[in-house]
Amino acid sequence: MKALLLLATVSVAVAANIGPSTGKVVCYYDSKSYVRESQARMLPSDLEPALSFCTHLVYGYAGIHPETNKMVPLNENLDIDRGHANYRTITNFKTKYPNLKVLLSVGGDADVEDPQKYNLLLESPQARTALVNSGVLLAEQHGFDGIDLAWQFPKIKPKKIRSSLGSFWHSIKKTFGTTPVDDKEAEHREGFTALVRELKAALNLKPNMQLAITVLPNVNASIYMDVPAIINLVDYVNIEAFDQQTPERNPKEGDYASPIYKPQSRNDLLNVDAATSYWVQAGAPGNKIVLGVSTFGRTWKLNADSEPSGVPPIQADGPGEAGPYTKTEGILSYPEVCGKLLNPNHQKGMRPHLRKVTDPSKRFGTYAFRLPDDSGEGGLWISYEDPETAGQKATYVKSKNLGGVSIVDLSMDDFRGLCTGDKYPILRATKYHI
Ligand SMILES: *[C@@H]1O[C@H](CO)[C@@H](O)[C@H](O)[C@H]1NC(C)=O
């Protein structure tokens, strides 16, 4: 009997170990998708098929009023009750998905008016109080479960990739390489710690309000984030370690936008492993670290001088042309990328499809490219995430005992199922591996 009981206990323990995972899946919802056109327009009802996979839904983005320092909706017409009441529509999903936490995110590189205000606010206790009080009120009044600070810190300068391209970078360095990005780094670091502390204290006065931090792409956490001081105040930190290389920042060179590990002869710090390791080494518990996975590709034009093999880093000629849905240079949503891979070149006047190059080492990611035609047109190089590489990121998270993944964002995943018929393939692949 005793042996039987022991056996039972052991099998329960084993079952618990392989049972449903507790990893976070933080789903970003970019409300800008509401006002895109045709196939790219995502309405709240399009979110439904995603929500059973998400532990968190993050509404992007609120902004900061440059004069009052209050947290404000960036699109009043859409967000609040006297407009389309989209805040409330989104938080109302909790009645159907009661375990879902819905947070309101501020910043996120969406608040483009007067970008200096993010740094200035950190320097003033009064300004911080204005933000904290208005933010808690805005979140509470619209049924949110907390706030995500996707703080718009100054970005690091674009980095030199490798020495063989030195002459180009030498000239860049001469122009702006030595000027500091932020001459009050220490003050802003302290101000951010104070902001996190003050916001946490205010949220604590309300029942069950969460606080999260998002480290935006190319923000140097080791400058601005005092990990031991803030990590116990937040529910999780979402590290957006993608866009390490973008066509805006690095117009002349295409490269992996979000490698897990350092590709040969690149900068040591510009990869997922370096970004997450910084937090771990600074003392953050692994379960508070969430890794951001992007659902879009970064695109560059190739020209006659680009290496025909397509191997990155590759000489490029600025951002690739805008996609049919997202209509923005240098970026393609996952369904736009898959369309370029799948479309056979049967129609007259259509460009040939792209050649996809996967990475058997699972360390750097996938890219796809097409060389320019004889007239020098049509060359394209894309670094992107697909369900397979997104799954590899989730596997990385799991192997390092980190807290989960975030999907940035749902509107750029294939929410209509255009690629294979499955809706949200990137979200599903990460969820499956976490
Ligand atoms: C971030 O800042 C640290 C400390 O100032 C510096 O050593 C490091 O090179 C920076 N990282 C990047 C990617 O620029």
Side-chain angles (χ1 to χ4, degrees), residues 69-388:
N69 291 305
K70 287 185 174 169
M71 198 185 295
V72 288
L74 280 179
N75 185 347
E76 287 198 357
N77 244 334
L78 173 66
D79 295 332
I80 58 179
D81 293 350
R82 63 171 185 274
H84 272 86
N86 201 41
Y87 278 172
R88 203 165 298 283
T89 306
I90 298 298
T91 57
N92 275 345
F93 277 124
K94 288 189 286 171
T95 49
K96 197 158 172 199
Y97 301 90
N99 295 324
L100 189 68
K101 298 284 174 204
V102 187
L103 307 191
L104 179 60
S105 184
V106 59
D109 291 334
D111 186 7
V112 288
E113 192 194 336
D114 204 356
Q116 278 303 314
K117 67 194 173 191
Y118 281 81
N119 256 352
L120 289 174
L121 187 146
L122 298 177
E123 297 169 17
S124 152
Q126 292 83 354
R128 292 197 307 260
T129 303
L131 181 75
V132 165
N133 291 344
S134 57
V136 173
L137 197 66
L138 189 67
E140 192 188 24
Q141 281 178 339
H142 296 91
F144 288 100
D145 298 301
I147 291 175
D148 171 50
L149 292 174
W151 205 255
Q152 294 179 188
F153 285 111
K155 308 256 182 195
I156 58 171
K157 296 282 189 218
K159 294 277 184 218
K160 171 181 172 174
I161 295 184
R162 63 178 184 193
S163 43
S164 63
L165 299 150
S167 54
F168 166 72
W169 280 103
H170 190 66
S171 57
I172 293 269
K173 254 195 203 154
K174 263 198 210 148
T175 354
F176 62 84
T178 50
T179 31
V181 184
D182 177 357
D183 51 17
K184 292 190 191 169
E185 285 175 352
E187 186 176 352
H188 297 141
R189 178 188 175 95
E190 273 173 39
F192 188 67
T193 301
L195 174 64
V196 171
R197 200 185 309 116
E198 291 154 8
L199 183 52
K200 175 67 177 173
L203 288 169
N204 267 350
L205 300 175
K206 314 285 176 186
N208 304 319
M209 289 288 248
Q210 298 205 346
L211 174 58
I213 293 174
T214 288
V215 185
L216 293 173
N218 298 303
V219 164
N220 189 337
S222 73
I223 293 176
Y224 295 112
M225 311 270 165
D226 182 350
V227 176
I230 60 179
I231 196 66
N232 294 322
L233 302 171
V234 300
D235 288 275
Y236 65 87
V237 52
N238 171 42
I239 302 173
E240 296 193 341
F242 49 79
D243 285 352
Q244 309 268 5
Q245 190 84 359
T246 73
E248 294 84 40
R249 294 167 55 81
N250 321 83
K252 294 293 174 195
E253 224 170 7
D255 202 2
Y256 296 111
S258 183
I260 298 180
Y261 294 101
K262 173 189 162 175
Q264 213 179 10
S265 62
R266 311 298 208 285
N267 185 290
D268 287 335
L269 298 171
L270 300 184
N271 57 75
V272 163
D273 188 56
T276 56
S277 298
Y278 166 70
W279 288 81
V280 173
Q281 280 158 16
N287 65 7
K288 287 207 172 172
I289 298 172
V290 169
L291 174 64
V293 175
S294 68
T295 52
F296 50 83
R298 288 297 182 180
T299 72
W300 286 260
K301 261 188 209 132
L302 296 184
N303 61 18
D305 297 332
S306 308
E307 168 64 42
S309 71
V311 174
I314 186 163
Q315 186 169 330
D317 192 17
E321 68 183 44
Y325 310 145
T326 49
K327 297 187 171 158
T328 312
E329 276 198 332
I331 194 166
L332 292 175
S333 65
Y334 176 62
E336 287 173 324
V337 174
C338 94
K340 286 189 183 296
L341 296 173
L342 299 177
N343 276 352
N345 180 33
H346 290 327
Q347 274 163 283
K348 241 189 156 174
M350 287 268 289
R351 296 205 177 275
H353 60 84
L354 273 66
R355 190 174 136 218
K356 173 177 170 179
V357 182
T358 55
D359 164 27
S361 78
K362 304 179 180 176
R363 294 167 71 85
F364 313 126
T366 295
Y367 62 90
F369 72 103
R370 175 177 64 208
L371 295 172
D373 61 21
D374 294 341
S375 64
E377 297 298 309
L380 185 64
W381 194 93
I382 310 180
S383 169
Y384 67 102
E385 213 73 78
D386 66 9
E388 202 182 330

